[in-house]
Amino acid sequence: MVANTTSNGNTDILLARFTFDGDLADYKILTVDQTSSANEYANSVTELHTGGFIVTGYTDFVTNPNDKSSMLHLRTDNSLQQLYVNPDHWYETTEQGTTNIGVKTFQTAMDTSYIFGYTNAYSANHVSFWTFGLTLNGYLPASDETAEFVNPTADEIVTNTIKAPQGYL
């Protein structure tokens, strides 16, 4: 289970594991950086083939002060220990526009992860669907980035994505 938890005005991510009887087994608080006081917001959690997890969402931890949010893809191992850039070489955020929101991550049989969300990187006036593949260390290769426009004059805010027999829906 993934949730947002707020304490002293700061929002972090709560990743919790429950037994099939509904009892709390363990939990961790996840943040975008080991020393950051940024706010993090979860939209989904995905179990990985290794038994670890990726939490997808967004954060106000940005590299450009003009940006509002970075897409978030926090990763843990099977014991819910979070992987960081140092020493684990896992990149936790992706930015293209000033608003970047992650909704759902899927892992393929070849251990590539695909993230679905939305960004305003391709239009100054609207947000658009955004999907891309992540490398094994959470980095966005420029060649995998895709923005799709169903209606280029309207906001396209992704709220959910599922894996279907013929692809993603």
Side-chain angles (χ1 to χ4, degrees), residues 146-157:
T146 304
E148 299 292 339
F149 307 97
V150 174
N151 182 348
T153 61
D155 286 338
E156 300 171 331
I157 298 174

Side-chain angles (χ1 to χ4, degrees), residues 13-164:
I13 294 172
L14 171 69
L15 181 62
R17 186 180 349 234
F18 291 84
T19 66
F20 288 116
D21 295 327
D23 296 326
L24 180 65
D26 60 349
Y27 72 93
K28 294 288 183 185
I29 301 296
L30 307 180
T31 62
V32 71
D33 185 281
Q34 295 171 341
T35 60
S36 172
S37 61
N39 293 296
E40 297 89 4
Y41 304 93
N43 284 327
S44 64
V45 61
T46 301
E47 185 176 15
L48 301 174
H49 302 307
T50 60
F53 302 93
I54 290 182
V55 174
T56 309
Y58 65 99
T59 178
D60 60 12
F61 180 85
V62 293
T63 56
N64 182 336
N66 296 321
D67 291 352
K68 296 178 185 174
S69 63
S70 294
M71 184 178 282
L72 187 68
H73 34 85
L74 302 180
R75 184 173 174 178
T76 72
D77 63 16
N78 188 40
S79 63
L80 306 185
Q81 293 298 318
Q82 187 173 345
L83 305 180
Y84 293 99
V85 174
N86 291 315
D88 306 304
H89 305 291
W90 177 260
Y91 291 88
E92 304 158 314
T93 62
T94 302
E95 295 176 32
Q96 291 295 332
T98 58
T99 300
N100 307 281
I101 309 293
V103 175
K104 183 67 179 170
T105 300
F106 295 93
Q107 187 178 35
T108 68
M110 296 183 303
D111 290 332
T112 300
S113 296
Y114 287 99
I115 295 185
F116 289 80
Y118 54 97
T119 182
N120 68 346
Y122 305 99
S123 170
N125 301 317
H126 303 287
V127 293
S128 300
F129 299 132
W130 188 27
T131 183
F132 57 86
L134 288 179
T135 64
L136 290 177
N137 65 348
Y139 187 73
L140 166 67
S143 61
D144 280 352
E145 186 175 2
T146 304
E148 299 292 339
F149 307 97
V150 174
N151 182 348
T153 61
D155 286 338
E156 300 171 331
I157 298 174
V158 177
T159 57
N160 193 17
T161 306
I162 63 167
K163 187 173 182 181

